[in-house]
Amino acid sequence: LIHVFDGLNPALVPPIVAVDRRLEGGLAKDTVVSNNRLGSKELTEHLLGHGHTRIALLLGLSKVSVAAERLAGYEEALRQQGLPIDDQLICHVPLTMAGGRAAVQTLLSLGAPPTAIYATNNFLAAGAMSALRERGIKVPEQMALVSFDDIEMAAAIDPFLTVMAQDAYTMGVTAMEMLHERLCDRGPATERQVVFQPRLIIRRSCGCRLPA
């Protein structure tokens, strides 16, 4: 998107509201995002609270704002506990089930594999679950697994996924309202940024023993 409008007079660029990521180059007049860094930090802290010290992270390219912020939250949580950042446990992969499967296969081949996996989206989590099942590794008994974002699949996978949920519906409505204002020339001259707070939903995949 940046390359499409690169070099154009800003007055000729149509209104853009960025959702779930920040755009470089001043393209987006408004931005609607989750607090990815805080959510990622809290999700990592939840695993640390279970006693895990080797937590693998599955995420996309760090040049994308969402991935960079979730990586930063993960690293912050580890540093606050005095734990090192192990690059072998940080997997930059395509945000697909295949990417999640491949990452977990690599992680399990390490001399000191992780005891917990944090997938930054549900497709990665589903791929991770598939790879663990192929190896006969039980979740959460032998490997904890959590994911950022919550969709129906997260509550359908067995064991149910512990997630950091975004309010995707409200984010979408807010973005459309802001875009409509821009199209009608009613928005303010300054850029606006709306940040939603994600919410931890505890299910079974992290190792928490919830009542049936």
Side-chain angles (χ1 to χ4, degrees):
L1 183 60
I2 292 174
H3 298 297
V4 171
F5 296 115
D6 188 32
L8 286 181
N9 183 332
L12 301 178
V13 177
I16 297 173
V17 176
V19 184
D20 198 30
R21 70 186 55 199
R22 306 174 200 277
L23 298 181
E24 297 178 359
L27 279 177
K29 196 66 176 176
D30 301 306
T31 304
V32 179
V33 293
S34 286
N35 192 333
N36 288 291
R37 181 165 183 155
L38 177 62
S40 185
K41 179 174 181 286
E42 291 181 352
L43 198 52
T44 306
E45 288 173 338
H46 186 73
L47 291 172
L48 290 168
H50 278 283
H52 297 287
T53 57
R54 289 188 61 74
I55 302 171
L57 179 69
L58 314 185
L59 76 165
L61 297 176
S62 57
K63 66 181 180 180
V64 177
S65 65
V66 173
E69 291 164 8
R70 292 178 186 177
L71 173 61
Y74 162 85
E75 292 180 339
E76 183 181 356
L78 294 180
R79 288 195 182 100
Q80 287 185 354
Q81 292 297 314
L83 296 171
I85 307 300
D86 187 341
D87 290 337
Q88 286 189 310
L89 297 180
I90 300 174
C91 303
H92 294 278
V93 294
L95 299 176
T96 62
M97 288 182 62
R101 287 187 64 202
V104 170
Q105 289 166 352
T106 298
L107 289 167
L108 294 177
S109 71
L110 296 175
T115 61
I117 296 171
Y118 162 20
T120 55
N121 79 6
N122 291 135
F123 295 107
L124 291 174
M129 184 76 78
S130 175
L132 292 171
R133 284 176 176 167
E134 286 178 2
R135 294 286 293 270
I137 297 173
K138 295 181 179 180
V139 177
E141 290 84 358
Q142 295 170 289
M143 181 77 72
L145 177 64
V146 300
S147 177
F148 205 109
D149 214 356
D150 189 34
I151 58 176
E152 288 185 8
M153 181 172 61
I157 292 176
D158 183 27
F160 300 155
L161 280 178
T162 289
V163 298
M164 185 61 66
Q166 302 185 89
D167 190 350
Y169 179 84
T170 304
M171 288 172 66
V173 170
T174 301
M176 288 305 299
E177 290 174 345
M178 296 169 78
L179 181 59
H180 184 259
E181 288 183 357
R182 292 294 182 192
L183 291 171
C184 296
D185 293 323
R186 294 204 310 264
T190 57
E191 294 181 7
R192 295 173 294 182
Q193 178 175 274
V194 178
V195 180
F196 286 86
Q197 300 304 316
R199 178 172 58 96
L200 179 64
I201 299 178
I202 298 174
R203 298 189 178 111
R204 291 197 300 114
S205 68
C206 61
C208 285
R209 301 300 182 185
L210 299 178

